[in-house]
Coordinates of all heavy atoms in Angstrom, one line a residue:
M1 N 76.7 93.3 80.4 CA 77.6 93.0 81.5 C 78.1 94.3 82.2 O 78.4 95.2 81.5 CB 78.7 92.2 81.0 CG 79.5 91.4 82.0 SD 80.9 90.4 81.4 CE 80.1 89.4 80.2
P2 N 78.1 94.3 83.5 CA 78.6 95.5 84.2 C 80.0 95.9 83.8 O 80.8 95.0 83.5 CB 78.6 95.2 85.7 CG 77.7 93.9 85.8 CD 77.8 93.3 84.5
K3 N 80.3 97.2 83.8 CA 81.6 97.7 83.4 C 82.3 98.3 84.6 O 81.7 99.0 85.4 CB 81.5 98.7 82.3 CG 81.1 98.0 81.0 CD 81.2 99.0 79.8 CE 80.9 98.3 78.5 NZ 79.7 98.7 77.9
V4 N 83.6 98.2 84.6 CA 84.5 98.9 85.6 C 85.6 99.6 84.9 O 86.1 99.1 83.9 CB 85.0 97.9 86.7 CG1 85.8 96.8 86.1 CG2 85.8 98.7 87.7
T5 N 85.9 100.8 85.3 CA 87.1 101.5 84.7 C 88.2 101.6 85.8 O 87.9 101.9 86.9 CB 86.7 103.0 84.3 OG1 85.6 102.9 83.3 CG2 87.9 103.7 83.8
L6 N 89.3 101.1 85.3 CA 90.5 101.2 86.2 C 91.4 102.3 85.8 O 91.8 102.4 84.6 CB 91.3 99.9 86.2 CG 90.5 98.7 86.8 CD1 89.9 97.9 85.6 CD2 91.4 97.8 87.7
I7 N 91.8 103.2 86.7 CA 92.8 104.3 86.4 C 94.1 103.7 86.8 O 94.4 103.4 88.0 CB 92.4 105.5 87.2 CG1 91.0 106.0 86.9 CG2 93.4 106.6 86.8 CD1 90.5 107.2 87.7
N8 N 94.9 103.4 85.8 CA 96.2 102.8 86.0 C 97.2 103.8 86.6 O 97.0 105.0 86.6 CB 96.7 102.2 84.7 CG 95.8 101.3 84.1 OD1 95.4 100.3 84.7 ND2 95.3 101.6 82.9
P9 N 98.3 103.2 87.2 CA 99.3 104.1 87.8 C 99.9 105.2 86.8 O 100.3 106.2 87.3 CB 100.4 103.1 88.3 CG 99.7 101.9 88.6 CD 98.6 101.8 87.5
D10 N 99.9 104.9 85.5 CA 100.4 105.9 84.5 C 99.3 106.8 84.1 O 99.4 107.5 83.1 CB 101.1 105.2 83.4 CG 100.1 104.3 82.5 OD1 98.9 104.3 82.9 OD2 100.5 103.7 81.6
D11 N 98.1 106.8 84.8 CA 97.0 107.6 84.5 C 96.2 107.2 83.2 O 95.2 107.9 82.9 CB 97.4 109.1 84.4 CG 97.5 109.7 85.8 OD1 96.9 109.2 86.7 OD2 98.2 110.7 85.9
T12 N 96.6 106.2 82.6 CA 95.7 105.7 81.5 C 94.5 105.0 82.1 O 94.5 104.6 83.3 CB 96.5 104.7 80.6 OG1 96.9 103.6 81.4 CG2 97.6 105.3 79.9
R13 N 93.5 104.8 81.3 CA 92.3 104.2 81.9 C 92.0 102.9 81.1 O 92.2 102.9 79.9 CB 91.0 105.1 81.7 CG 91.1 106.3 82.7 CD 90.0 107.2 82.5 NE 90.1 108.3 83.5 CZ 89.1 108.5 84.4 NH1 88.0 107.8 84.4 NH2 89.3 109.5 85.3
T14 N 91.6 101.9 81.8 CA 91.2 100.6 81.1 C 89.8 100.3 81.6 O 89.5 100.3 82.8 CB 92.1 99.5 81.6 OG1 93.5 99.8 81.3 CG2 91.8 98.2 80.9
E15 N 88.9 100.1 80.6 CA 87.5 99.7 80.9 C 87.4 98.2 80.6 O 87.8 97.7 79.6 CB 86.5 100.4 80.0 CG 85.1 100.2 80.4 CD 84.1 101.0 79.5 OE1 83.7 100.5 78.5 OE2 83.8 102.1 79.9
L16 N 86.8 97.5 81.6 CA 86.7 96.1 81.6 C 85.2 95.7 81.8 O 84.5 96.4 82.6 CB 87.5 95.4 82.6 CG 89.0 95.5 82.6 CD1 89.6 94.8 83.8 CD2 89.5 94.9 81.3
E17 N 84.7 94.7 81.1 CA 83.4 94.1 81.5 C 83.7 93.0 82.5 O 84.6 92.2 82.3 CB 82.8 93.5 80.2 CG 82.3 94.6 79.2 CD 81.5 94.0 78.1 OE1 81.7 92.8 77.8 OE2 80.6 94.7 77.6
V18 N 82.9 93.1 83.6 CA 83.1 92.1 84.7 C 81.8 91.4 84.9 O 80.8 92.0 85.2 CB 83.6 92.8 86.0 CG1 83.9 91.7 87.0 CG2 84.8 93.6 85.7
A19 N 81.8 90.1 84.7 CA 80.6 89.3 84.9 C 80.1 89.4 86.3 O 80.9 89.5 87.3 CB 80.8 87.8 84.6
V20 N 78.8 89.5 86.5 CA 78.2 89.5 87.8 C 78.7 88.3 88.6 O 78.7 87.2 88.0 CB 76.6 89.5 87.7 CG1 76.0 89.3 89.1 CG2 76.2 90.9 87.2
G21 N 79.2 88.5 89.8 CA 79.7 87.4 90.6 C 81.2 87.2 90.5 O 81.8 86.4 91.2
D22 N 81.8 87.9 89.5 CA 83.2 87.8 89.3 C 83.9 89.0 90.0 O 83.2 90.0 90.2 CB 83.6 87.8 87.8 CG 85.0 87.1 87.6 OD1 85.6 86.7 88.6 OD2 85.4 87.1 86.4
S23 N 85.1 88.9 90.4 CA 85.8 90.0 91.1 C 86.5 90.9 90.2 O 87.0 90.5 89.1 CB 86.7 89.5 92.2 OG 87.9 89.0 91.6
V24 N 86.7 92.2 90.6 CA 87.5 93.1 89.8 C 88.9 92.6 89.6 O 89.5 92.7 88.6 CB 87.4 94.5 90.4 CG1 88.4 95.5 89.7 CG2 86.0 95.1 90.4
M25 N 89.4 92.0 90.7 CA 90.8 91.5 90.6 C 90.9 90.4 89.5 O 91.8 90.4 88.7 CB 91.2 90.9 92.0 CG 92.6 90.3 92.0 SD 92.8 88.6 91.3 CE 92.0 87.6 92.6
R26 N 90.0 89.5 89.5 CA 90.0 88.4 88.5 C 89.9 89.0 87.1 O 90.7 88.5 86.2 CB 88.9 87.4 88.7 CG 89.3 86.5 89.9 CD 88.7 85.1 89.7 NE 89.0 84.3 90.9 CZ 90.1 83.7 91.1 NH1 91.1 83.8 90.2 NH2 90.3 83.0 92.2
A27 N 89.1 89.9 86.9 CA 88.9 90.5 85.5 C 90.2 91.2 85.1 O 90.6 91.2 84.0 CB 87.7 91.4 85.5
A28 N 90.8 92.0 86.1 CA 92.0 92.7 85.8 C 93.2 91.8 85.5 O 93.9 92.1 84.5 CB 92.3 93.7 86.9
T29 N 93.3 90.8 86.3 CA 94.5 89.9 86.0 C 94.3 89.1 84.7 O 95.2 88.9 84.0 CB 94.8 89.0 87.2 OG1 93.6 88.3 87.5 CG2 95.2 89.8 88.4
A30 N 93.0 88.7 84.5 CA 92.7 88.0 83.2 C 93.0 88.9 82.0 O 93.4 88.4 80.9 CB 91.3 87.5 83.2
A31 N 92.8 90.2 82.2 CA 93.1 91.1 81.1 C 94.6 91.5 81.0 O 95.0 92.2 80.1 CB 92.3 92.4 81.3
G32 N 95.4 91.0 81.9 CA 96.8 91.2 81.9 C 97.2 92.6 82.4 O 98.3 93.1 82.0
L33 N 96.4 93.2 83.2 CA 96.8 94.6 83.7 C 97.9 94.4 84.8 O 97.7 93.7 85.7 CB 95.6 95.2 84.4 CG 94.5 95.8 83.4 CD1 93.5 96.6 84.2 CD2 95.1 96.6 82.3
D34 N 99.0 95.1 84.6 CA 100.2 94.9 85.4 C 99.9 95.5 86.8 O 100.5 95.0 87.8 CB 101.4 95.7 84.9 CG 101.9 94.9 83.6 OD1 101.6 93.7 83.5 OD2 102.6 95.6 82.8
G35 N 99.1 96.5 87.0 CA 98.9 97.2 88.2 C 98.2 96.4 89.3 O 98.4 96.7 90.5
I36 N 97.5 95.4 88.9 CA 96.8 94.5 89.9 C 97.6 93.2 89.9 O 97.6 92.5 88.9 CB 95.4 94.2 89.6 CG1 94.6 95.5 89.4 CG2 94.7 93.2 90.6 CD1 94.1 96.1 90.7
V37 N 98.2 92.8 91.1 CA 99.1 91.6 91.1 C 98.2 90.4 91.5 O 98.2 89.4 90.8 CB 100.2 91.8 92.1 CG1 101.1 90.6 92.2 CG2 101.1 93.0 91.7
G38 N 97.5 90.5 92.6 CA 96.6 89.4 93.0 C 97.4 88.1 93.3 O 96.9 87.0 92.9
D39 N 98.5 88.2 94.0 CA 99.4 87.1 94.3 C 98.7 85.9 94.9 O 99.0 84.8 94.6 CB 100.5 87.5 95.3 CG 101.8 87.7 94.6 OD1 101.9 87.2 93.5 OD2 102.7 88.2 95.3
C40 N 97.7 86.1 95.8 CA 97.1 85.0 96.5 C 95.9 84.4 95.8 O 95.2 83.5 96.4 CB 96.8 85.4 98.0 SG 95.4 86.4 98.2
G41 N 95.5 85.0 94.7 CA 94.4 84.5 93.9 C 93.1 84.8 94.6 O 92.1 84.1 94.3
G42 N 93.0 85.8 95.4 CA 91.8 86.2 96.0 C 91.5 85.6 97.4 O 90.4 85.6 98.0
G43 N 92.6 85.0 98.0 CA 92.5 84.4 99.3 C 92.6 85.3 100.5 O 92.7 84.9 101.6
L44 N 92.7 86.6 100.2 CA 92.8 87.6 101.3 C 94.0 87.4 102.1 O 94.0 87.6 103.4 CB 91.5 87.6 102.2 CG 90.4 88.5 101.9 CD1 89.3 88.4 102.9 CD2 90.8 89.9 101.8
S45 N 95.1 87.2 101.5 CA 96.4 87.0 102.2 C 97.6 87.7 101.6 O 98.7 87.5 102.1 CB 96.7 85.5 102.4 OG 96.9 84.9 101.2
C46 N 97.3 88.6 100.6 CA 98.5 89.2 100.0 C 98.4 90.8 99.9 O 99.4 91.4 99.9 CB 98.8 88.7 98.6 SG 97.6 89.2 97.3
S47 N 97.2 91.3 99.8 CA 97.0 92.8 99.7 C 97.6 93.4 98.5 O 98.0 94.6 98.5 CB 97.5 93.5 101.0 OG 96.8 93.1 102.1
T48 N 97.9 92.6 97.4 CA 98.5 93.1 96.2 C 97.4 93.4 95.1 O 97.7 93.5 93.9 CB 99.5 92.2 95.6 OG1 98.9 91.0 95.3 CG2 100.6 92.0 96.6
C49 N 96.2 93.6 95.6 CA 95.1 93.9 94.6 C 94.4 95.2 95.1 O 93.2 95.4 94.8 CB 94.1 92.7 94.6 SG 93.4 92.4 96.2
H50 N 95.1 96.0 95.7 CA 94.6 97.3 96.4 C 94.1 98.3 95.3 O 94.8 98.6 94.4 CB 95.7 97.9 97.2 CG 95.4 99.1 98.0 ND1 96.3 99.9 98.5 CD2 94.2 99.7 98.3 CE1 95.8 100.9 99.2 NE2 94.5 100.8 99.0
V51 N 92.9 98.8 95.5 CA 92.4 99.8 94.6 C 91.7 100.8 95.5 O 91.3 100.5 96.7 CB 91.4 99.3 93.6 CG1 92.0 98.4 92.6 CG2 90.1 98.7 94.2
V52 N 91.4 102.0 95.0 CA 90.7 103.0 95.7 C 89.5 103.4 94.9 O 89.6 103.8 93.7 CB 91.5 104.3 96.0 CG1 90.7 105.4 96.7 CG2 92.8 103.9 96.8
I53 N 88.3 103.3 95.4 CA 87.0 103.6 94.7 C 86.9 105.1 94.7 O 87.0 105.8 95.7 CB 85.8 103.0 95.5 CG1 85.9 101.4 95.4 CG2 84.5 103.5 94.8 CD1 84.8 100.7 96.1
V54 N 86.8 105.6 93.4 CA 86.8 107.1 93.2 C 85.5 107.8 93.7 O 85.6 108.8 94.3 CB 87.0 107.4 91.7 CG1 86.8 108.8 91.4 CG2 88.4 106.9 91.3
D55 N 84.4 107.2 93.5 CA 83.1 107.8 93.8 C 82.5 107.2 95.1 O 82.3 106.0 95.2 CB 82.2 107.6 92.6 CG 80.9 108.3 92.8 OD1 80.4 108.6 93.9 OD2 80.2 108.6 91.7
D56 N 82.3 108.1 96.1 CA 81.7 107.6 97.4 C 80.4 106.8 97.2 O 80.1 105.9 97.9 CB 81.4 108.8 98.3 CG 82.6 109.5 98.8 OD1 83.7 108.8 98.8 OD2 82.5 110.6 99.3
A57 N 79.6 107.2 96.2 CA 78.3 106.4 96.0 C 78.6 105.0 95.6 O 77.9 104.1 96.1 CB 77.6 107.1 94.8
Y58 N 79.7 104.7 94.9 CA 80.0 103.3 94.6 C 80.6 102.6 95.8 O 80.4 101.4 95.9 CB 80.9 103.2 93.4 CG 80.2 103.4 92.1 CD1 80.0 104.6 91.5 CD2 79.6 102.3 91.5 CE1 79.3 104.8 90.3 CE2 78.9 102.4 90.3 CZ 78.8 103.7 89.7 OH 78.0 103.8 88.6
F59 N 81.3 103.4 96.6 CA 81.9 102.7 97.8 C 80.7 102.2 98.7 O 80.8 101.1 99.2 CB 82.7 103.8 98.6 CG 83.4 103.2 99.8 CD1 84.6 102.5 99.6 CD2 83.0 103.3 101.1 CE1 85.3 101.9 100.6 CE2 83.7 102.7 102.1 CZ 84.8 102.0 101.9
A60 N 79.6 102.9 98.7 CA 78.5 102.5 99.5 C 77.8 101.2 98.8 O 77.2 100.4 99.5 CB 77.5 103.6 99.6
K61 N 77.9 101.1 97.5 CA 77.2 100.0 96.8 C 78.0 98.7 96.8 O 77.5 97.7 96.5 CB 77.0 100.4 95.3 CG 76.0 101.4 95.0 CD 75.9 101.6 93.5 CE 75.1 102.8 93.2 NZ 75.1 103.1 91.7
A62 N 79.3 98.9 97.1 CA 80.2 97.7 97.1 C 79.9 96.8 98.2 O 79.3 97.2 99.3 CB 81.7 98.2 97.2
P63 N 80.3 95.5 98.1 CA 80.1 94.6 99.2 C 80.7 95.1 100.5 O 81.7 95.7 100.4 CB 80.8 93.3 98.7 CG 80.9 93.4 97.2 CD 81.0 94.9 97.0
E64 N 80.1 94.7 101.6 CA 80.6 95.2 102.9 C 82.1 94.7 103.1 O 82.4 93.5 102.7 CB 79.7 94.7 104.0 CG 79.8 95.4 105.3 CD 78.8 94.9 106.3 OE1 77.7 94.6 105.9 OE2 79.1 95.0 107.5
I65 N 82.9 95.5 103.8 CA 84.2 95.0 104.1 C 84.2 94.0 105.3 O 83.6 94.3 106.3 CB 85.1 96.2 104.5 CG1 85.2 97.2 103.3 CG2 86.5 95.8 104.9 CD1 86.0 98.5 103.6
S66 N 84.8 92.9 105.0 CA 84.9 91.9 106.1 C 86.0 92.3 107.1 O 86.9 93.0 106.8 CB 85.2 90.5 105.5 OG 86.5 90.5 105.1
P67 N 85.9 91.8 108.3 CA 87.0 92.1 109.3 C 88.4 91.7 108.7 O 89.3 92.4 109.0 CB 86.6 91.2 110.5 CG 85.1 91.0 110.4 CD 84.8 91.0 108.9
T68 N 88.5 90.6 108.0 CA 89.8 90.2 107.5 C 90.2 91.2 106.4 O 91.4 91.6 106.4 CB 89.7 88.8 106.8 OG1 89.2 87.9 107.8 CG2 91.0 88.3 106.4
E69 N 89.4 91.6 105.5 CA 89.8 92.6 104.5 C 90.2 93.9 105.2 O 91.2 94.5 104.9 CB 88.7 92.8 103.5 CG 89.1 93.9 102.5 CD 88.0 94.3 101.5 OE1 86.9 93.7 101.6 OE2 88.3 95.1 100.6
D70 N 89.5 94.2 106.2 CA 89.8 95.5 107.0 C 91.2 95.4 107.6 O 92.0 96.3 107.5 CB 88.7 95.7 108.1 CG 88.8 97.0 108.7 OD1 89.0 98.0 107.9 OD2 88.7 97.1 109.9
Q71 N 91.5 94.2 108.1 CA 92.9 94.1 108.7 C 93.9 94.1 107.6 O 95.0 94.7 107.7 CB 93.0 92.7 109.4 CG 92.3 92.7 110.7 CD 92.3 91.4 111.4 OE1 92.6 90.3 110.8 NE2 92.1 91.3 112.7
M72 N 93.6 93.4 106.5 CA 94.6 93.3 105.4 C 94.9 94.7 104.8 O 96.0 95.0 104.3 CB 94.2 92.4 104.3 CG 94.1 90.9 104.7 SD 95.8 90.3 105.3 CE 96.7 90.3 103.7
L73 N 93.9 95.6 104.7 CA 94.0 96.9 104.2 C 95.0 97.7 105.0 O 95.5 98.8 104.5 CB 92.7 97.6 104.1 CG 91.9 97.2 102.9 CD1 90.4 97.7 103.0 CD2 92.4 97.7 101.6
D74 N 95.3 97.3 106.2 CA 96.3 98.0 107.0 C 97.8 97.6 106.6 O 98.7 98.1 107.2 CB 96.1 97.8 108.5 CG 94.8 98.5 109.0 OD1 94.5 99.5 108.4 OD2 94.2 98.0 109.9
F75 N 97.9 96.6 105.7 CA 99.2 96.1 105.3 C 99.5 96.3 103.8 O 100.3 95.6 103.3 CB 99.4 94.7 105.8 CG 99.3 94.5 107.2 CD1 98.1 94.1 107.8 CD2 100.4 94.8 108.1 CE1 98.0 93.9 109.2 CE2 100.3 94.7 109.4 CZ 99.1 94.2 110.0
T76 N 98.8 97.2 103.2 CA 99.1 97.5 101.8 C 100.3 98.3 101.6 O 100.7 99.0 102.4 CB 97.9 98.2 101.2 OG1 97.6 99.4 102.0 CG2 96.6 97.4 101.1
A77 N 101.0 98.1 100.4 CA 102.2 98.8 100.1 C 102.0 100.3 100.0 O 102.8 101.1 100.5 CB 102.9 98.2 98.8
M78 N 100.9 100.7 99.3 CA 100.5 102.1 99.3 C 99.6 102.3 100.5 O 98.8 101.5 100.8 CB 99.8 102.4 98.0 CG 99.4 103.9 97.9 SD 98.3 104.2 96.5 CE 96.7 104.1 97.3
D79 N 99.7 103.4 101.2 CA 98.9 103.7 102.4 C 97.4 103.6 102.0 O 97.0 104.0 101.0 CB 99.2 105.1 102.9 CG 100.5 105.1 103.7 OD1 101.1 104.0 104.0 OD2 101.0 106.2 103.9
R80 N 96.7 103.0 103.0 CA 95.3 102.9 102.9 C 94.6 104.3 102.8 O 95.1 105.2 103.5 CB 94.8 102.2 104.1 CG 93.3 101.9 104.2 CD 92.9 101.2 105.4 NE 91.5 100.8 105.4 CZ 91.0 99.9 106.2 NH1 91.7 99.4 107.2 NH2 89.7 99.6 106.1
E81 N 93.6 104.4 102.0 CA 92.8 105.7 101.9 C 91.4 105.3 102.4 O 91.0 104.2 102.4 CB 92.8 106.2 100.5 CG 94.3 106.6 100.0 CD 94.3 107.3 98.7 OE1 93.3 107.7 98.1 OE2 95.4 107.4 98.2
P82 N 90.6 106.4 102.6 CA 89.2 106.1 103.1 C 88.4 105.2 102.2 O 87.6 104.4 102.7 CB 88.6 107.5 103.2 CG 89.8 108.4 103.4 CD 90.9 107.8 102.6
N83 N 88.6 105.2 100.9 CA 87.8 104.4 100.0 C 88.6 103.2 99.5 O 88.3 102.6 98.4 CB 87.3 105.2 98.8 CG 86.1 106.1 99.2 OD1 85.7 106.1 100.4 ND2 85.5 106.8 98.2
S84 N 89.6 102.8 100.2 CA 90.4 101.7 99.8 C 89.7 100.4 99.9 O 88.9 100.2 100.8 CB 91.7 101.5 100.6 OG 92.7 102.5 100.3
R85 N 89.9 99.5 98.9 CA 89.3 98.1 99.0 C 90.4 97.2 98.3 O 91.2 97.6 97.6 CB 88.0 98.0 98.1 CG 86.9 98.8 98.7 CD 86.4 98.3 100.0 NE 86.1 96.9 100.1 CZ 84.9 96.3 100.0 NH1 83.8 97.1 99.8 NH2 84.7 95.0 100.1
L86 N 90.2 95.9 98.7 CA 91.0 94.9 98.0 C 90.1 94.4 96.8 O 88.9 94.0 97.1 CB 91.3 93.7 98.9 CG 92.3 94.2 100.0 CD1 92.6 93.0 101.0 CD2 93.6 94.7 99.5
S87 N 90.6 94.5 95.6 CA 89.7 94.3 94.4 C 89.3 92.8 94.3 O 88.3 92.5 93.6 CB 90.4 94.8 93.2 OG 91.6 94.1 92.9
C88 N 89.9 91.9 95.0 CA 89.5 90.5 95.0 C 88.2 90.4 95.8 O 87.4 89.4 95.6 CB 90.5 89.5 95.5 SG 90.9 89.8 97.3
Q89 N 87.9 91.4 96.6 CA 86.6 91.3 97.3 C 85.5 92.2 96.7 O 84.4 92.3 97.2 CB 86.9 91.8 98.8 CG 87.9 91.0 99.5 CD 87.6 89.5 99.5 OE1 86.6 89.1 100.1 NE2 88.5 88.7 98.9
L90 N 85.9 92.9 95.6 CA 84.9 93.7 94.9 C 84.2 92.8 93.9 O 84.6 92.7 92.7 CB 85.5 94.9 94.2 CG 86.0 96.0 95.1 CD1 86.7 97.1 94.3 CD2 84.9 96.6 95.9
V91 N 83.2 92.0 94.3 CA 82.5 91.1 93.5 C 81.3 91.9 92.8 O 80.5 92.6 93.5 CB 81.9 89.9 94.4 CG1 81.0 89.0 93.5 CG2 83.1 89.2 95.0
M92 N 81.3 91.8 91.5 CA 80.4 92.7 90.7 C 79.0 92.3 90.9 O 78.6 91.1 91.0 CB 80.8 92.6 89.2 CG 81.9 93.5 88.8 SD 81.9 95.2 89.4 CE 81.2 96.0 87.9
T93 N 78.2 93.3 90.9 CA 76.7 93.2 90.8 C 76.3 94.2 89.7 O 77.0 95.1 89.3 CB 76.1 93.7 92.2 OG1 76.4 95.0 92.4 CG2 76.5 92.8 93.3
D94 N 75.0 94.0 89.3 CA 74.5 95.0 88.3 C 74.5 96.4 88.8 O 74.8 97.4 88.1 CB 73.1 94.6 87.9 CG 73.1 93.4 86.9 OD1 74.0 93.3 86.0 OD2 72.2 92.6 87.0
E95 N 74.3 96.6 90.1 CA 74.3 97.9 90.8 C 75.7 98.6 90.7 O 75.7 99.8 90.7 CB 74.0 97.7 92.2 CG 72.7 98.2 92.7 CD 72.7 98.4 94.2 OE1 73.3 97.6 94.9 OE2 72.0 99.3 94.7
M96 N 76.7 97.8 90.6 CA 78.1 98.4 90.5 C 78.5 98.8 89.1 O 79.7 99.2 88.9 CB 79.1 97.4 91.2 CG 78.9 97.3 92.7 SD 79.8 96.0 93.4 CE 81.4 96.4 93.1
D97 N 77.6 98.6 88.1 CA 78.0 99.0 86.8 C 78.4 100.5 86.8 O 77.7 101.3 87.3 CB 76.8 98.8 85.9 CG 77.1 99.1 84.4 OD1 78.2 98.9 84.0 OD2 76.1 99.7 83.8
G98 N 79.6 100.7 86.1 CA 80.1 102.1 86.1 C 81.1 102.4 87.1 O 81.6 103.6 87.2
L99 N 81.4 101.5 88.0 CA 82.4 101.6 89.0 C 83.8 102.1 88.4 O 84.2 101.6 87.4 CB 82.7 100.3 89.7 CG 83.8 100.2 90.7 CD1 83.4 100.9 92.0 CD2 84.1 98.7 91.0
V100 N 84.4 103.1 89.1 CA 85.7 103.6 88.7 C 86.6 103.4 89.9 O 86.3 103.9 91.0 CB 85.7 105.1 88.3 CG1 87.1 105.5 87.8 CG2 84.7 105.3 87.1
V101 N 87.8 102.8 89.7 CA 88.7 102.6 90.8 C 90.1 103.0 90.3 O 90.5 102.9 89.1 CB 88.8 101.1 91.2 CG1 87.5 100.6 91.8 CG2 89.3 100.2 90.1
R102 N 90.9 103.6 91.2 CA 92.3 103.9 91.0 C 93.1 102.8 91.5 O 92.9 102.4 92.6 CB 92.6 105.3 91.7 CG 94.0 105.8 91.5 CD 94.1 107.3 91.9 NE 93.4 107.6 93.1 CZ 94.0 107.4 94.3 NH1 95.2 106.9 94.4 NH2 93.3 107.8 95.4
V103 N 94.0 102.3 90.7 CA 94.9 101.2 91.0 C 96.0 101.7 91.9 O 96.6 102.7 91.6 CB 95.5 100.5 89.8 CG1 96.5 99.4 90.2 CG2 94.3 100.0 88.9
A104 N 96.1 101.1 93.1 CA 97.2 101.6 94.1 C 98.6 101.4 93.5 O 98.8 100.4 92.7 CB 97.0 100.8 95.4
D105 N 99.5 102.2 93.8 CA 100.8 102.1 93.4 C 101.8 102.6 94.5 O 101.6 103.7 95.0 CB 101.0 103.0 92.1 CG 102.4 102.9 91.5 OD1 103.0 101.8 91.6 OD2 102.9 104.0 91.0
P106 N 102.6 101.7 95.0 CA 102.9 100.4 94.5 C 102.0 99.3 95.1 O 101.3 99.7 96.1 CB 104.4 100.1 94.9 CG 104.4 100.9 96.2 CD 103.6 102.1 96.1
Q107 N 102.1 98.1 94.6 CA 101.3 97.0 95.2 C 102.2 96.1 96.0 O 101.7 95.4 96.8 CB 100.7 96.1 94.1 CG 99.6 96.8 93.3 CD 98.2 96.9 94.0 OE1 98.1 96.6 95.2 NE2 97.2 97.4 93.3
L108 N 103.5 96.2 95.8 CA 104.5 95.3 96.5 C 105.4 96.1 97.3 O 105.8 97.2 96.9 CB 105.2 94.4 95.5 CG 104.4 93.5 94.6 CD1 105.3 92.9 93.5 CD2 103.8 92.4 95.5
Ligands
LIG201 S1 94.4 88.9 95.7 FE1 95.4 88.6 97.5 S2 94.3 89.8 98.9 FE2 93.3 90.2 97.0

């Protein structure tokens, strides 16, 4: 199963296995990680699942940003960065195995 590493706001790292077709947000909230809120359950209406992809190569492998996600990224609590994504839209593929993301702080 593909793995993702989340760099938490306190600089600890959490490695999670994420099933292909599942989102990073769902895996993180199921694991009880506080840094990812995911208030809207992946409905692209809360922006509380903000992460920054550390490696540009993985940013290119990630699913394309939809116009709605692009708009929502302008309303995140932490300022948007060039590699910002909403983790509910980061749906895992085998190609994304090894993804590392920094959890945005704050989310609210
Ligand atoms: S969980 Fe709400 S926008 Fe991602």
Side-chain angles (χ1 to χ4, degrees):
M1 200 180 302
K3 291 189 174 114
V4 57
T5 299
L6 295 100
I7 304 172
N8 301 300
D10 65 0
D11 280 334
T12 59
R13 289 177 176 240
T14 304
E15 187 177 89
L16 297 175
E17 291 190 331
V18 184
V20 169
D22 203 359
S23 73
V24 172
M25 180 279 286
R26 284 210 183 279
T29 54
L33 287 190
D34 289 338
I36 304 277
V37 180
D39 252 350
C40 75
L44 266 184
S45 59
C46 73
S47 296
T48 62
C49 61
H50 182 195
V51 297
V52 179
I53 295 177
V54 170
D55 184 335
D56 289 343
Y58 280 93
F59 188 78
K61 289 180 190 176
E64 198 173 332
I65 299 179
S66 69
T68 305
E69 181 184 358
D70 192 41
Q71 285 177 341
M72 292 301 291
L73 280 165
D74 290 334
F75 298 100
T76 50
M78 184 190 93
D79 285 346
R80 180 179 189 168
E81 296 186 13
N83 285 1
S84 283
R85 293 297 306 262
L86 295 178
S87 59
C88 65
Q89 303 304 300
L90 289 177
V91 175
M92 280 311 264
T93 60
D94 283 321
E95 250 198 323
M96 289 167 66
D97 182 36
L99 172 71
V100 181
V101 298
R102 184 163 43 83
V103 176
D105 183 34
Q107 293 283 8
L108 298 169

